[in-house]
Amino acid sequence: MTTHNIAHGTVHKVPSDFRRALESNATAKSLWANITPLARNEWICWVTSAKQVTTRKRRIEVGIDKLRGGMRRPCCWPGCPHR
C-alpha cells in the first residue's frame, strides 16, 4: 500500500476518505504530488469543511475530477481560514 506517499497540507492532514480517492486516480495523485503544501491544504479544508456527509462525498468526487483536469486549487471558495 502506498498511502504514505500522499502528502499533507500546511495545516491539515489528508483524511482517509479523500486519501483513498486520491490513491484510486493516478492523474489526480500525480498532480497532488506536484502542487504546493498550501494548495493541498486548500483542497483538504474545502473537503472537510462540508457540514453534511453528502456534501463531503460530492466535494471529494468533484475535487478528484478537477484535479484530474489540472485544477490546482478549489474554485469559488474563500479559502482555508486555518492558515
Side-chain angles (χ1 to χ4, degrees), residues 17 44-60 77-79 81-82:
D17 53 352
I44 296 165
C45 191
W46 179 68
V47 166
T48 60
S49 67
K51 292 183 177 39
Q52 296 182 10
V53 174
T54 55
T55 304
R56 182 179 174 125
K57 287 179 182 178
R58 188 177 72 244
R59 285 186 182 181
I60 289 172
W77 182 64
H82 307 104

Side-chain angles (χ1 to χ4, degrees), residues 2 5 12-14 24-27 29 32 44 50 55 62 68 80:
T2 60
N5 292 332
H12 302 294
K13 292 188 176 188
V14 181
S24 71
N25 188 287
T27 305
K29 183 179 176 183
W32 187 261
I44 296 165
T55 304
V62 168
R68 278 187 325 178
C80 176

Side-chain angles (χ1 to χ4, degrees), residues 30-44:
S30 177
L31 181 64
W32 187 261
N34 290 309
I35 60 176
T36 66
L38 187 57
R40 289 192 296 265
N41 197 68
E42 296 287 324
W43 282 110
I44 296 165

Side-chain angles (χ1 to χ4, degrees), residues 3 13 18-19 21 23 44 50 78:
T3 57
K13 292 188 176 188
F18 194 31
R19 178 184 300 274
E23 286 286 344
I44 296 165

